Amino acid sequence: KRRPGVSRLMDWSKAFNLRFAPPDESKFPALRLAMRVAREKGTLGAVMNAANEVAVEAFLAERIRFGAIARLVETVMDGHAVIASPTLDQLLAADGSAREATRRLIEVA
């Protein structure tokens, strides 16, 4: 079910222009975190994804507020020592430890 949007629907049969502006990182903090992953690479992407999945699950279960998702993910990312060229086992370990760290943070919140 969709609610009516705040703008008109796109008419793909007619020409139109799109205007892009730099994103506001205060409104989209997860974008800043994703850009950090792109810069630092290695195991950080697995950590961000794992922490995000656990945080979103907690949000959907109404255990945390929406705004807490990015804060939790960033805290877990900040506590991770990035491995630049990880093996599959190291990626899986980073995923697991990030999930556990996020769960612990949610419990004490």
Side-chain angles (χ1 to χ4, degrees):
K1 297 179 182 179
R2 292 181 182 218
R3 294 183 180 185
V6 295
S7 62
R8 58 183 161 73
L9 294 175
M10 295 290 295
D11 182 352
W12 296 100
S13 67
K14 296 179 181 174
F16 59 89
N17 291 315
L18 298 176
R19 189 175 129 253
F20 293 93
D24 181 345
E25 290 183 356
S26 67
K27 290 182 181 176
F28 306 104
L31 181 58
R32 178 178 44 80
L33 298 177
M35 296 301 288
R36 177 177 163 192
V37 167
R39 282 190 311 275
E40 295 185 32
K41 301 177 178 60
T43 50
L44 198 57
V47 169
M48 179 185 177
N49 181 69
N52 186 65
E53 286 184 359
V54 172
V56 168
E57 184 180 278
F59 165 72
L60 294 173
E62 299 180 350
R63 294 189 347 247
I64 64 171
R65 292 177 173 248
F66 181 79
I69 296 172
R71 288 190 300 276
L72 284 166
V73 172
E74 184 168 28
T75 299
V76 173
M77 288 171 64
D78 288 346
H80 176 69
V82 176
I83 300 170
S85 296
T87 64
L88 177 58
D89 286 341
Q90 289 170 319
L91 283 169
L92 293 172
D95 177 282
S97 63
R99 288 175 189 277
E100 184 55 37
T102 309
R103 287 185 189 107
R104 281 194 311 270
L105 288 170
I106 291 167
E107 286 175 14
V108 298

